[in-house]
Structures are given as structure tokens and as C-alpha cells.
Amino acid sequence: MSQEQKGETYNRRDFMKLSGSALGGLALANTPRPADASSLESPSRGDAETIRLGFVGVGDRGSYHLDVALGIPGVEVPALCDIDRDYLYRAKRWVEEAGQPTPTLYGEDGNETDFKRLCAEEDLDAVICATSWQWHTPVCLAAMRNDKHCVSEVPIVQTVEEAWELVETYEKTGKWATLGLEQALLESGNGLNVLQMVQEGKLGDIIHAESGYVHDLRLVKFDPEREPWRLQHSIDRNGNLYPDHPLNKIMPCMDINHGDRFESIVSMSSGAQMLNEYAAHWYGEEHPYATMDMKQGDYNASLIRTVNGKLITLNFDTNTPHPRGQWRMQGSDGVYIEGDAIGEPKIYLDGISQESHEWEPAQPYLNDHRHPILDEYNPAERERPIRGHGGSGTQTPITWHLLVQNLRNDTMPYFDVYDSVTSSAISPLSEQSVAKNGQPVDVPDFTQGKWKERDQFTLQPSESLADVR
């Protein structure tokens, strides 16, 4: 065993005493005209077309999505792909335990590109991709070029060139690839209620938003049994590497790609020392991870300006000890803020809040502007909690229900191809700005002018949402 391998298993028992699991996520995407929930029908085996899904990557996050899908009536999983045989055969067992035929397995010989064979040979409606980041775009392209839609974990691209390739492939084939299960807006905190307040004008004209991926992932990066591939990104890259979760909530509130678009980004990073210190503490001061050059700054701050003059502050910090971050939405008539540091969500409305320049509890306003889809979506309890990373819930997530309905209705999810690549492309664009000492970098218009005419994002409820299983 090499010294580096010894380091990877160093003090494993103490490692597991620490907290710091990563939250993954996916996203829904947008049709050429946004698909709304009013067109959805409740899924049932007797009266709806069967949806056939293939899964590429069935580790922690992929296993979560697989378990969700297996609990939705009318969804079948005939194919699985993973180069980790333990994950692959666990997923096979879950499919069989769900009463479905034994799926065809791909990747069990360790072939990292066996997903191409899955996409070419299987009769599927869509492919669900939950691999490490480098394979997201290749899996999407393989699916689209073989007449299948694809839903990817975040980020959907790592380069601007990949973003354009996805857009061009969608426009050529008609098959979409999106962050179709990203849950930040639909399932996290009060995202939909804040969107409702914004679209009803409660905060006035939106001027500025601040959020970010602020999540201590040091344990995750160094733990060989979790997501050690994240560490390599910190070794090789320096920028705002995880923009999709915060932007999934911000972009709809700012009409991005629906009347406005990102124009430019300025990004700067601090120095990098925290990962070296963490490695020295756990592995010893002579371990390679304790001394090697880590390119990723311990803190990155990026400013994004839109064509219409709105501003976004996007923070990225996965290397320092801290609780989770916050979300702030500033309008011309008031401001909303939530996050661990402030406790309960707060709001201040000019001329309405009783005490001048003082926060008041936001919950009464969130209740008054509760998004109607939240009242309509009341799925039945499952027999057991959902397994996998992100699991423990006992109801089908609304993101999954809407995705299945998009596939049945041949519509694209609300956070569509253009929105998905715009969100993820912020990462490589931030790297360019950091490399240029914080100089502005233009954000491409992936819609090629369509943003001027595209309707405002809408997601309407329907009675069928109450019947979902």
C-alpha cells in the first residue's frame, strides 16, 4: 500500500465522528413555452403510458433517484449503469424487489463509457445521470443523440463549449437535457413562496439577490467512501464551482432567460490553505495532501450583472468550518432574507413594516403568499422512507412527479435546456474571471435572443397533484 493510500484510510473511525455530508440536487427545466402543472395527470398504471428510465450512476445520489422512481406507479427501470459493482448490484436488487424484471446491467466490467451502449441499445424515454461531474455532459449527449431525453445532476456542464454543444444538440434532435430534478426552488425552504411574493410585486422591482453554496465539505472531499472526486476539482480548479443550487432559486425570481439575461460576471477567490490544514490534521503534516498546491480559493465571491441592471452576489465556500449560508432578495419596496445565521426568515417592507429599519418575521407574509402548488401537492405516504443520499422522506418529491408528467406529456421541465446550461456555465466563466484577476467576463446568450420573448416562468397547480403516489 502506498503512502497516499495509507493516508486515505488514516483514522477512519475518527473521521466518521465528524459531520459534513453533502447535499446533492437536481433541477427541472423549461419548455420552449413553460410547461405548467395544470396539464398534468395523476400517474397510474391503468390509464397512463409507462415511462421507461435508464440510470447512469447509482451511488449515493443515484440510488436516491432510483428509489424514488421505483415507487412511482407507471415508471419502469429496465437498464442500470455503474462501474462500481457493489452499487450496480445493489441497484439491481432494488429493481427486482420492486417487482420489476431484472434490468440489463452496464459498466460492470469497469468500462467508464459503457453508458454509450446503454443509450444506443435500450428503449428508454429518458436517462437519469448521477455520475461524477466529468461525465454529465457526455451522458446527456449520448442520450440525446440516441433519441432519449436526459436529466443530469448538477452541474450539467463544466465548460462553455459543453454548454453550446448541449444547446445545439437539443435544437438539432428535439431531445432535451436539463437539470430536471434540481430541488432548490421547489423543495428547499420557502423558495416557491418567495417567488410568489416577487411575481405579485410584494418586494417591488428586484434589484439584487445574494446566495451561494456555503457548505463545509472538507470531510466529504477527503473521505474515500463518499465523494473524493470533489477534492480533485479543488486541486485543479479555482472559481465558483457549484452555482446551480442558489441560481435555481434566483433565476426564476429575476426572469433570467425570460425577459432578462446574465450579461457579465466578476469573480475573485481568496487564498487556499484550509484543505492543506485539514489534511495535515487528519493525515499528518508529511502527507501529500497537506503540502500539495490546492488551486481552489477557500472563499469565492462572484458578481453577476444582468442586461436589465439587476445584480447577483454568488458565494462559494466548501473549505471552511461554518453552518449553511443565507439567501437574500432585495427589491425596490423591500427585502427578504433567510438562513441559519438569522434564525426564522425575516422581511422588511418600506412603508408597511411597523418599525422603521427593523426586521420583522416573514412567516405571516409567506403564509399570505403561499404558492398554490404547495397546497395542491399532497402525495400519499410511501410504505417506507426513500433510501439513498437525500433520502428519508416518505412522499414522492414534487420534482419527480413533475418530471414524469413532462415525459408523459412530451414537454420540457420548467428549468429548461437554456436555463440549465446558463446556470452551470457560471462555473467555468467564474474560473476565467478569477484567472484574469477579477476582470469582467461576458456571459454568452445561450438562448440566442429568445430571452426577449420568452414568457415569465409560471408553475400552476392542478387537482391531479393531490392524487400523486
Side-chain angles (χ1 to χ4, degrees):
M1 180 181 292
S2 69
Q3 185 64 33
E4 184 170 342
Q5 288 172 322
K6 289 179 181 178
E8 288 182 347
T9 59
Y10 178 83
N11 216 344
R12 168 71 179 162
R13 182 178 300 171
D14 287 341
F15 241 70
M16 296 312 294
K17 293 179 182 179
L18 301 179
S19 61
S21 61
L23 289 178
L26 300 155
L28 302 171
N30 221 323
T31 55
R33 62 172 180 77
D36 62 51
S38 62
S39 66
L40 307 185
E41 298 294 335
S42 179
S44 61
R45 289 191 183 276
D47 58 10
E49 178 186 356
T50 297
I51 296 299
R52 294 168 60 84
L53 301 176
F55 282 75
V56 179
V58 287
D60 280 356
R61 190 63 179 166
S63 66
Y64 165 77
H65 291 305
L66 174 63
D67 207 32
V68 172
L70 291 174
I72 300 176
V75 173
E76 295 181 356
V77 181
L80 302 167
C81 181
D82 202 300
I83 60 173
D84 186 307
R85 291 174 64 89
D86 290 339
Y87 288 151
L88 187 63
Y89 279 89
R90 178 185 65 182
K92 170 182 174 290
R93 185 179 72 250
W94 287 7
V95 173
E96 293 170 339
E97 290 172 352
Q100 297 192 20
T102 298
T104 304
L105 303 183
Y106 297 83
E108 57 184 327
D109 61 354
N111 182 357
E112 291 185 321
T113 61
D114 212 22
F115 62 83
K116 295 181 179 180
R117 193 163 60 92
L118 178 150
C119 292
E121 296 178 359
E122 295 291 333
D123 177 18
L124 304 170
D125 296 286
V127 173
I128 309 299
C129 175
T131 63
S132 55
W133 296 354
Q134 72 187 93
W135 298 109
H136 290 183
T137 300
V139 172
C140 289
L141 291 171
M144 298 163 79
R145 290 166 179 166
N146 284 278
D147 200 34
K148 299 167 179 65
H149 301 301
C150 191
V151 179
S152 173
E153 267 286 358
V154 297
I156 199 168
V157 299
Q158 291 189 86
T159 69
V160 174
E161 291 75 20
E162 286 181 336
W164 279 117
E165 192 170 9
L166 281 184
V167 168
E168 291 164 1
T169 304
Y170 159 63
E171 293 178 344
K172 179 180 179 180
T173 66
K175 294 298 178 179
W176 45 260
T178 74
L179 297 174
L181 294 169
E182 169 61 58
Q183 81 260 21
L185 176 67
L186 291 178
E187 297 177 9
S188 300
N190 298 292
L192 277 175
N193 297 333
V194 173
L195 176 64
Q196 188 78 357
M197 282 199 294
V198 167
Q199 292 189 337
E200 291 180 4
K202 194 66 180 179
L203 299 179
D205 296 328
I206 299 302
I207 297 169
H208 173 247
E210 180 175 4
S211 187
Y213 196 66
V214 179
H215 189 182
D216 182 358
L217 296 182
R218 293 173 296 169
L219 171 61
V220 173
K221 292 181 181 183
F222 285 108
D223 187 340
E225 295 184 14
R226 300 175 81 171
E227 295 174 330
W229 48 265
R230 285 183 183 264
L231 177 61
Q232 195 62 46
H233 288 277
S234 295
I235 295 172
D236 296 337
R237 305 169 62 193
N238 188 10
N240 202 301
L241 302 189
Y242 214 65
D244 298 291
H245 286 343
L247 288 180
N248 182 247
K249 291 196 293 186
I250 290 173
M251 286 172 61
C253 290
M254 287 191 160
D255 298 323
I256 301 303
N257 291 339
H258 299 265
D260 199 356
R261 73 170 184 89
F262 294 153
E263 182 179 52
S264 62
I265 179 173
V266 170
S267 186
M268 300 184 72
S269 292
S270 71
Q273 68 181 53
M274 293 302 300
L275 292 182
N276 295 127
E277 292 182 4
Y278 196 76
H281 174 76
W282 287 104
Y283 297 146
E285 294 183 356
E286 301 304 317
H287 191 276
Y289 287 151
T291 58
M292 72 168 49
D293 179 32
M294 301 284 184
K295 290 185 179 180
Q296 178 60 51
D298 294 326
Y299 197 97
N300 175 276
S302 300
L303 294 176
I304 306 171
R305 181 179 170 86
T306 77
V307 169
N308 293 340
K310 305 184 188 80
L311 188 67
I312 298 169
T313 302
L314 198 65
N315 303 306
F316 176 68
D317 177 4
T318 60
N319 294 350
T320 69
H322 56 260
R324 299 299 289 269
Q326 68 181 32
W327 178 31
R328 186 177 189 271
M329 187 66 63
Q330 176 71 61
S332 58
D333 293 337
V335 58
Y336 170 88
I337 188 170
E338 69 175 47
D340 290 349
I342 66 168
E344 295 299 317
K346 304 290 194 304
I347 197 170
Y348 178 78
L349 297 175
D350 195 24
I352 297 178
S353 296
Q354 293 184 358
E355 299 295 331
S356 180
H357 305 299
E358 290 188 14
W359 294 104
E360 63 173 311
Q363 197 58 52
Y365 297 95
L366 294 169
N367 293 340
D368 289 344
H369 297 272
R370 182 173 170 83
H371 198 286
I373 205 171
L374 296 176
D375 293 322
E376 297 293 339
Y377 189 71
N378 185 28
E381 293 287 325
R382 292 180 169 223
E383 294 182 0
R384 55 168 176 73
I386 299 168
R387 295 168 288 186
H389 178 58
S392 78
T394 58
Q395 296 177 314
T396 298
I398 189 172
T399 50
W400 259 99
H401 175 66
L402 293 175
L403 174 62
V404 170
Q405 296 307 330
N406 284 130
L407 293 169
R408 287 202 172 115
N409 296 334
D410 195 25
T411 56
M412 197 168 11
Y414 79 84
F415 206 75
D416 68 10
V417 173
Y418 303 110
D419 301 327
S420 297
V421 301
T422 297
S423 173
S424 291
I426 289 301
S427 178
L429 293 169
S430 73
E431 292 179 79
Q432 293 178 28
S433 181
V434 169
K436 296 177 181 179
N437 294 319
Q439 292 183 25
V441 172
D442 292 339
V443 179
D445 175 13
F446 295 107
T447 75
Q448 298 179 84
K450 299 182 185 73
W451 63 273
K452 299 176 183 178
E453 287 80 35
R454 290 186 359 136
D455 294 336
Q456 184 183 54
F457 159 72
T458 57
L459 188 63
Q460 300 298 327
S462 78
E463 292 182 1
S464 68
L465 290 175
D467 301 326
V468 69
R469 295 295 181 263

